[in-house]
Amino acid sequence: MPPLIVVFAALAALDIAGVATGPPLLEWVAKPLLAPVLAVHLWRLTGTRHVPVLAGLGCATAGDVALILPGRAAFGVGIAFFLGAQLCWTAAFLRAGALRYLRPRRLLCAVHLAVWATAVAALAPALGPVLGTAVAVYAAALVTMALTARVLGRRAAWGGLVFIGSDLLVALGAAGAGFPGRAVLVMLSYTLALALITTAFTTAQARRSEGTPTARRGTFVTRASD
């Protein structure tokens, strides 16, 4: 396992321990470092080939810091930063050929749209008009990211799906529908999603270097089952 992935796993464990047991210091120390460690890992293996992914990890870092803070204002700022992250990652997947991959898969697109509409309709009444609108916009970007992620194969696809699950748990908490252990599940799924999405790009880049994926105009397309 790459050393920085080991560091990421250790930071994730510390953060989850902080969430589970309560010492805020653990979360403040570990959580802001999660995405930067993955960014360094990606940069070391691929350089500047995936700038949108690096930018998305930067947005995720800012969002993580905002979401540590209490209150709806901080929650709204966190949504804004993670919206930026989803847009950056979607741009990276589009660059990898997501539109070409999704064009014949209309049923898959329809299923993702139905998931978005159902979740927004269920949560909107409890969130209120302002926060509900913000969550609806963010959820649309999140579902789009998860849909386009499929272009890089199973690892990225699972990363997108797990990210949807993690943020659904966050939204349930904001809507007052929390349950014991929810915060731990949020961090478990979030850190897993970050790792899956980032390493999907490093794996795809490695296969591209070996000549496995189909490269066109400086992009790459792979339907590998990693």
Side-chain angles (χ1 to χ4, degrees):
M1 185 180 292
L4 285 173
I5 296 300
V6 174
V7 172
F8 173 81
L11 288 170
L14 280 177
D15 185 50
I16 292 166
V19 170
T21 60
L25 180 60
L26 283 179
E27 192 173 11
W28 271 108
V29 168
K31 193 174 183 181
L33 295 175
L34 291 169
V37 167
L38 288 178
V40 174
H41 171 70
L42 179 64
W43 177 77
R44 285 186 66 186
L45 292 180
T46 68
T48 57
R49 293 182 183 90
H50 302 302
V51 171
V53 186
L54 295 172
L57 291 169
C59 289
T61 302
D64 281 338
V65 172
L67 291 179
I68 295 176
L69 300 172
R72 287 211 163 191
F75 183 74
V77 172
I79 287 179
F81 279 119
F82 273 103
L83 173 61
Q86 306 305 343
L87 294 175
C88 287
W89 293 328
T90 299
F93 293 128
L94 290 174
R95 218 174 124 200
L99 284 181
R100 183 166 56 250
Y101 173 79
L102 291 171
R103 195 170 288 121
R105 294 169 170 82
R106 296 180 182 178
L107 179 59
L108 180 64
C109 296
V111 169
H112 280 69
L113 179 61
V115 168
W116 170 80
T118 301
V120 168
L123 293 170
L127 292 173
V130 176
L131 190 56
T133 300
V135 168
V137 172
Y138 171 75
L142 172 62
V143 169
T144 301
M145 183 280 291
L147 183 61
T148 56
R150 291 175 173 270
V151 70
L152 289 192
R154 291 181 186 174
R155 184 178 304 204
W158 275 112
L161 289 175
V162 174
F163 218 124
I164 289 176
S166 179
D167 280 354
L168 180 59
L169 291 170
V170 173
L172 286 173
F179 55 86
R182 182 192 62 85
V184 171
L185 286 176
V186 167
M187 286 312 303
L188 276 170
S189 52
Y190 169 64
T191 52
L192 177 59
L194 273 187
L196 287 171
I197 289 171
T198 303
T199 57
F201 281 94
T202 60
T203 301
Q205 186 63 46
R207 287 179 173 169
R208 184 192 181 198
S209 299
E210 294 168 3
T212 304
T214 301
R216 291 191 180 98
R217 297 185 182 89
T219 63
F220 56 88
V221 179
T222 177
R223 295 176 179 82
S225 59
D226 56 309

